[in-house]
Structures are given as structure tokens and as C-alpha cells.
Amino acid sequence: MFRIRRPLRRAFLLGLPTVWGALAITYKLACPLAQQTGLGARVATSAVFFAVGTGLVLHLRATLLRELRQARRVAGAAQSVLLRPLPPRIDGLGVAAAQLSADRGASVGGDLYEAIATEHGVRVVMGDVRGHGLAAIGTVAAVLGCFREAVHDEAELGSVLHRLERALARHLRERARAEHPSAGPPPDTPVVEEFVTVLLLEIGRDGEVHALNCGHPWPYLLSGTRVEPLARADPLPPLGPFPLPRELPAVRVGRLLPGESLVLHTDGAEDARDCHGRFFSLPTAIAAAVGDDPVTPQTILRTVFTALHRHTGGRPTDDVALLVLRNERVRERAPEGVRDGDTCGSAARARPAPTHPLPTNHV
């Protein structure tokens, strides 16, 4: 049925221009008025050809608009599969996420995020693929697809990260063979320069937060009216260019207490500039979400995107993705020796140094 409809559709699209062209040629060759050289005959001939040209332009415009609507429907379907809408609440955590594309009319890009409740806790990924376009979308699909399976299968966060690394390497090899079949082995192709920054978080039922960071910006912790980075340690290299260490113990970065929020973001947020070249202050925008109204992930998201839109004049130069997690669980009595006001950030400053090596220079 599809093979039959496609030629018919092409014939229909070409039918109207063909009819208009045949009418114009018939008028020029067969109509006596078109053979005359008087002013009235020339005006009539010009009107006929003007009508033909107008009809062709309108037909072409209608065809392009139809194709554009179809492309946007396909992009929307791809977005719903790749970056599927997150539920407003996951295992006691309020959730809100959205992205802003630098390309007007684009629905998907190189940013990725996901939050899933597992038996090990709520596991979250935020990442940024180098580049844009269909190639970046394919990489996003490979990484997210692997993450959605690995978080349930692997007990350790480091094992999840190793799974993501293998999935990315496999995807890049397949892409290299498809895009450059005559370029030789994968090391001879430009695909080897691709990389993905990834941040993995695991939030337990008690609010304990463990993390593994591969070249991605650390999220911000909103506690009361204070906004501070979740951690300040140097991240591992991004996935792709360099192999990860064999041992990857997750780093404890503190606790997310009830009423506190984490704001995960891609580097497009803090790299956004205004017309004078000034960078966007993400912590200031997050703090502005604290007001008289109850603070929710949706209000934080809306406040930040409004401030970002105002700062860039509605023309961001890079894709931006935000994911807000707020602990809405019932506050429990703090264990002995731990102050009730102890926050994720203060615990992070008191934590021991990570046991795995961290590079001094990172992307």
C-alpha cells in the first residue's frame, strides 16, 4: 500500500504545476490573442503568465508548509521518545525538566536527561552531546537507551557508567562505518572526536546523594535562600576520548534534605551571554525562585527560563536543558550527631576525598 501511495502522491504534487504550464503553453501557441502585438494583447498575455506564476508559487508554498508541518510532527515524536516527559513526582521527589533549543523551530538537540526510580534509589542522568543535528540525536538515543536499562540491572553506579561508555563506543563505531565506509578503521574517521559529558546521581531514601561526573557542570543545591554547587571536585574526563578507570566508586556528595532542591543543567545555561557579552548568572536566577509562593520544581524551572530568555533577548546561542529535583518527603528526625540543618553542601565539604584518581585538567 505504501509503495502505491508514494507514486500517486508524487504525481499529485507534480500535477498542478504541469497543468499550469500546459495552459500557459497552449495559450501562447494556440490562442489568436497571444499572436497579436497590440498593447491589449500584450496586457492579456502578461496577465495569463502572471496568473500561472502566482499559481506555481502558491502551490510551492503550500507544499513546503505541508512538509514543514510533517517534519515538526516527526521531531515531536522523536522528542517524546528520546526525552520523554518526566512524571511530576518520583519516589517522593518533585521533578520538573525542560530544554531550550538554540535553533528556532527545533525540538530535539544534543542534551539528554532522565530520572528513574529503582531499588537502589532514584537514579538521574544529565548529559550533553558534542555537536547538533541528526548525529547528536543518534548519540542521545544510544546513551539514554543504555541508561534506562542499566540503572535497573547494575547495583553500583560505577557499573552504570561503564555500561554507558561501552554503549557510546559501540554507537560511534557503527556510525563511523556507516558515514565513512572507505575511511578505514574507526581511528581514521572524525567520529572518534565525539564525546559526551555525563553526570550520574543516585538519591537514596534517606536523602544520601552519590555522584559520578564525567566532564559535566555540577548541579546547584537550593537550601532555603542559599544556592551553592553540590560539589567542587574536578570531574572525570567526558565519555569518548579517554577510557575510564577500571574502578569507579561513586562519590558521596552529601544529603538532600526535605525542602531542598537540586538544579541540574547543561553548560549552555551558564555560557549564555547578553548583548554586552555578560554571562548569565544561574545561581541568581535560582535564588529568585524563592518567594512568597511555595517553591516547587515547576516554579524554579519557570523562573530560570524566564530570566534566561530575558538575558539572551530570546536568542540563546546554545541548547539549554534543566532538571529540577526537590525532596518532598516527610522530614524525619535527624540521626544522633547530625544537625537538622546539615545540608547536602555542608556534608560535601566534610566528605573524604574520592578514592579514584581525578585528572587535574578536564574538559
Side-chain angles (χ1 to χ4, degrees), residues 28-292:
K28 183 63 178 177
L29 297 178
C31 182
L33 184 61
Q35 310 301 325
Q36 299 178 12
T37 58
L39 180 60
R42 291 182 180 180
V43 171
T45 301
S46 299
V48 170
F49 280 94
F50 177 78
V52 171
T54 303
L56 291 176
V57 171
L58 293 177
H59 175 74
L60 180 60
R61 180 178 180 274
T63 302
L64 293 177
L65 288 177
R66 185 164 51 249
E67 295 293 337
L68 178 60
R69 286 192 294 267
Q70 178 67 18
R72 287 181 174 177
R73 284 195 294 267
V74 172
Q79 183 184 34
S80 64
V81 174
L82 292 180
L83 297 180
R84 57 191 182 190
L86 297 178
R89 189 176 177 88
I90 300 177
D91 195 19
L93 300 180
V95 181
Q99 68 166 352
L100 177 65
S101 176
D103 299 326
R104 181 173 298 181
S107 299
V108 291
D111 296 339
L112 60 97
Y113 54 80
E114 182 64 283
I116 300 176
T118 71
E119 59 179 324
H120 315 291
V122 176
R123 287 180 166 177
V124 184
V125 64
M126 172 68 80
D128 190 357
V129 177
R130 176 182 178 270
H132 302 277
L134 294 178
I137 295 175
T139 305
V140 169
V143 174
L144 279 181
C146 178
F147 174 80
R148 288 164 179 163
E149 290 187 2
V151 290
H152 294 287
D153 298 339
E154 305 294 342
E156 301 296 331
L157 206 59
S159 300
V160 176
L161 188 57
H162 276 301
R163 289 270 295 268
L164 297 184
E165 181 186 34
R166 292 194 296 270
L168 176 63
R170 183 169 55 251
H171 167 74
L172 293 181
R173 285 195 302 268
E174 295 173 353
R175 206 180 102 195
R177 286 193 293 266
E179 294 181 358
H180 309 278
S182 61
D188 298 333
T189 66
V191 177
V192 297
E193 301 177 0
E194 299 293 331
F195 63 85
V196 182
T197 65
V198 172
L199 172 67
L200 293 181
L201 295 182
E202 181 180 284
I203 306 175
R205 288 292 306 173
D206 56 355
E208 292 286 341
V209 182
H210 292 80
L212 283 173
N213 191 345
C214 291
H216 199 80
W218 285 105
Y220 285 98
L221 171 71
L222 174 61
S223 178
T225 59
R226 187 174 69 254
V227 179
E228 59 184 3
L230 177 63
R232 301 181 184 274
D234 291 335
L236 295 162
L239 294 183
F242 308 102
L244 293 175
R246 184 180 300 273
E247 299 295 331
L248 283 174
V251 180
R252 180 185 179 276
V253 290
R255 297 180 66 202
L256 182 65
L257 299 178
E260 295 181 339
S261 302
L262 285 177
V263 181
L264 288 72
H265 61 93
T266 55
D267 57 4
E270 294 187 309
D271 291 345
R273 303 193 186 199
D274 61 7
C275 58
H276 302 290
R278 293 173 297 193
F279 287 102
F280 178 67
S281 178
L282 183 57
T284 302
I286 296 174
V290 180
D292 298 332

